[in-house]
Amino acid sequence: MFLTEKHEKYRQKIREFALAEIEPLAHQIDLDQKYPEGHTKKLCDMGILGLQVDPKYGGTYTDTLTYAIAVEELSRVCGSTGITVAAHCSLGTWPIFAFGSEEQKKKYLPPITKEPNLASFGLTEPEAGSDAGATKSTAVKKDDGWLINGTKNFITNASVGKTFVVTARTTPGKGSRGITSFILENGMKGFSVGKKENKMGLRGSDTATLNFDDLWIPDDNRLGEEGQGFKQFMMTLDGGRVSIGAMALGLAQGALDLALKFARERKQFGKSIIEFQAVGHKLADMATFIQAARHLIYHAAILKDKGVWYNKESAMCKLYASEIGNWCCYQAIQIMGAYGYSTDHSPVERYWRDVKLCEIGEGTSEIQRLVISRELLKEELSLPEGFFTIDASKLGG
């Protein structure tokens, strides 16, 4: 895929920033299991926190392809930074920009795009993971506002976030049509952050539980119309899957970078191991799969910007990129052997731990296949009658 000069220049800009500011700290971030606050200011100064928001509201809005490139290049050196940005932009800021009133946009977007503050998205609950329509958190009308109770878990940027878009059930018995979105702020009475997760990977990304205990908010904090929450977060997740795909792509590319360098420099039996067919073929497969994933991701990003329905394509790019990301990181460790397995010699073992989340978050691989198969069925049912009819008399043999 040929990118414009503008896209290539932006990639180089983010690549240089990531290598200079993020990569030197990535290993320590993982060890400390703490996202450094200093990163947020640097990302803000680069305009990365506002990539999904119009400049009118403090953002640095650009096309989705440019945004995907930013997530890809950050993840290429640090998955924890990649997912922090992805959650902030795709899940935290975009719903407010897409569904918020003019007053909400002016109030909530500048502090999380022009200033070094992070946004977050509260959807997952203890009993509502893949079945997001099973939301148990409730919002009950009271005194021209809403009283919210419930719990959200596995929430990215939970402890460090300033502004949160969350879902709650406003009408019992209506299934997904009884769910509404709200905008909350850290520090509100009844809002608390609970247990921080001890994760296998992305350990520098802040992940914790959100608790709402008789949290009252005015109706001005309702995002969009009542009962539209499920539809809103389905649209939000379509965009989020492009960024998770970009994150997996970046991790896979980072693993290939390291494996290729190692294979050129490592000598066994008197020659560089890249000259051995078994190693060369692994690298060839990695490069091919990564390029295929890149095409899927960039294609989905372009469709989004064109306003074309891209539900199937976003699921495809997320599914493929996350699974080949896992495979590529595994192969990089295999090529590098003990040097890849050791935390003291290479970050590829961190990449492997980090990329696993991409097969789980924002819809598991199983859910992506479900989405794709449903879209295929819709397409098949929309074909004209007789489209697949075969005239046996015209068959050879």
Side-chain angles (χ1 to χ4, degrees), residues 4 14 17 41 52 56 72 114 119 131 137-138 143 162 169 202 212 229 264 286 307 309 360 368 394:
T4 65
I14 299 297
F17 167 76
K41 186 178 187 313
Q52 295 277 275
K56 180 179 178 181
E72 176 188 348
K114 295 176 67 175
D131 183 11
S137 293
T138 60
D143 301 330
K162 175 182 175 63
R169 184 164 299 282
L202 300 171
F212 315 130
R264 285 172 178 157
M286 291 168 69
W309 179 248
I360 301 171
Q368 304 314 311
K394 295 182 179 180

Side-chain angles (χ1 to χ4, degrees), residues 40-198:
T40 308
K41 186 178 187 313
K42 294 173 182 177
L43 294 166
C44 183
D45 291 343
M46 286 287 290
I48 293 172
L49 298 186
L51 288 174
Q52 295 277 275
V53 176
D54 193 289
K56 180 179 178 181
Y57 309 107
T60 53
Y61 186 81
T62 185
D63 58 71
T64 305
L65 179 53
T66 302
Y67 165 60
I69 289 171
V71 174
E72 176 188 348
E73 291 300 327
L74 292 171
S75 302
R76 193 170 169 180
V77 300
C78 179
S80 292
T81 301
I83 195 171
T84 298
V85 169
H88 167 86
C89 291
S90 293
L91 306 183
T93 65
W94 187 82
I96 301 175
F97 178 55
F99 309 118
S101 66
E102 189 68 14
E103 292 74 20
Q104 288 173 334
K105 294 175 186 178
K106 290 179 178 178
K107 178 179 180 180
Y108 290 108
L109 291 176
I112 54 175
T113 55
K114 295 176 67 175
E115 302 172 30
N117 298 307
L118 293 173
S120 184
F121 181 68
L123 172 61
T124 302
E125 296 184 0
E127 296 182 42
S130 294
D131 183 11
T135 297
K136 294 290 191 293
S137 293
T138 60
V140 179
K141 285 185 177 179
K142 182 179 180 181
D143 301 330
D144 297 322
W146 299 86
L147 196 64
I148 300 179
N149 285 279
T151 299
K152 302 289 182 178
N153 62 342
F154 303 118
I155 306 303
T156 304
N157 298 341
S159 304
V160 296
K162 175 182 175 63
T163 302
F164 297 77
V165 175
V166 305
T167 55
R169 184 164 299 282
T170 50
T171 307
K174 291 192 68 174
S176 62
R177 296 183 180 180
I179 298 172
T180 303
S181 299
F182 299 90
I183 305 173
L184 306 182
E185 296 179 65
N186 199 341
M188 286 179 164
K189 184 179 179 181
F191 181 107
S192 64
V193 179
K195 174 178 172 285
K196 182 179 178 180
E197 298 296 335
N198 182 20

